[in-house]
Amino acid sequence: MPKYMTKQRKILLEFLEKHADEELSARKIEDELCGSGVSISAVYRNLSDLEKEGKIRRISKSGTREVHYLYTDSHGCRDCLHLSCKKCGRTYHMDTDGAEKLIKILAQSDDFTIDKSDTVLYGVCGKCKNT
């Protein structure tokens, strides 16, 4: 059940919607919202609630203790496979045709069904590969 829409929650949701393709730490979110009246405790509390509601995904990166969050409730994010660059940290949607082919191949060859709402593939993006 969604929580009451406080001013801080509304500001946080608007920020997350604008940064839907980014994995963000709570500290980064708080830094970006500095001056908007959103406290770090409100950030953590709302992130926890949003995770329970299925609106964000909590991501732990190997080699670090820092937790990142990816907003998955935007229209463009639902039912998409995500690609995440290990170098620059950018997360974006996999091409729909490519994702459907991958899902179909896995379903046929390995009798495996992918949960698109919770899938992130990690690698190196074209920009980072070419630099």
Side-chain angles (χ1 to χ4, degrees):
M1 173 190 312
K3 289 189 68 148
Y4 176 72
M5 185 62 73
T6 64
K7 180 181 176 186
Q8 291 184 352
R9 182 178 173 94
K10 183 177 183 208
I11 291 168
L12 177 62
L13 283 169
E14 287 171 355
F15 173 80
L16 292 172
E17 182 73 37
K18 289 178 187 169
H19 299 275
D21 285 343
E22 296 177 49
E23 293 177 8
L24 302 164
S25 68
R27 179 62 59 196
K28 170 89 171 149
I29 294 168
E30 191 232 355
D31 289 347
E32 293 289 326
L33 295 178
C34 182
S36 67
V38 179
S39 66
I40 188 68
S41 62
V43 169
Y44 278 107
R45 182 175 56 255
N46 280 291
L47 288 174
S48 176
D49 291 340
L50 290 168
E51 183 181 9
K52 289 175 190 169
E53 295 167 23
K55 294 182 178 192
I56 62 169
R57 180 181 308 126
R58 182 184 170 120
I59 302 165
S60 298
K61 299 229 179 191
S62 62
T64 179
R65 289 182 161 175
E66 192 169 41
V67 174
H68 290 81
Y69 299 90
L70 179 65
Y71 185 64
T72 58
D73 198 45
S74 70
H75 244 260
C77 255
R78 291 186 200 125
D79 294 325
C80 287
L81 294 182
H82 292 85
L83 303 174
S84 182
C85 181
K86 292 171 114 178
K87 286 189 175 182
C88 68
R90 180 173 168 248
T91 299
Y92 54 98
H93 301 126
M94 184 175 184
D95 171 69
T96 305
D97 291 337
E100 291 305 319
K101 286 177 186 174
L102 176 62
I103 290 167
K104 186 176 179 180
I105 289 168
L106 287 172
Q108 291 173 346
S109 66
D110 294 313
D111 193 26
F112 189 81
T113 303
I114 291 180
D115 176 1
K116 290 193 287 187
S117 68
D118 197 25
T119 303
V120 179
L121 302 173
Y122 293 91
V124 179
C125 71
K127 270 187 181 175
C128 290
K129 187 171 36 175
N130 296 324
T131 56

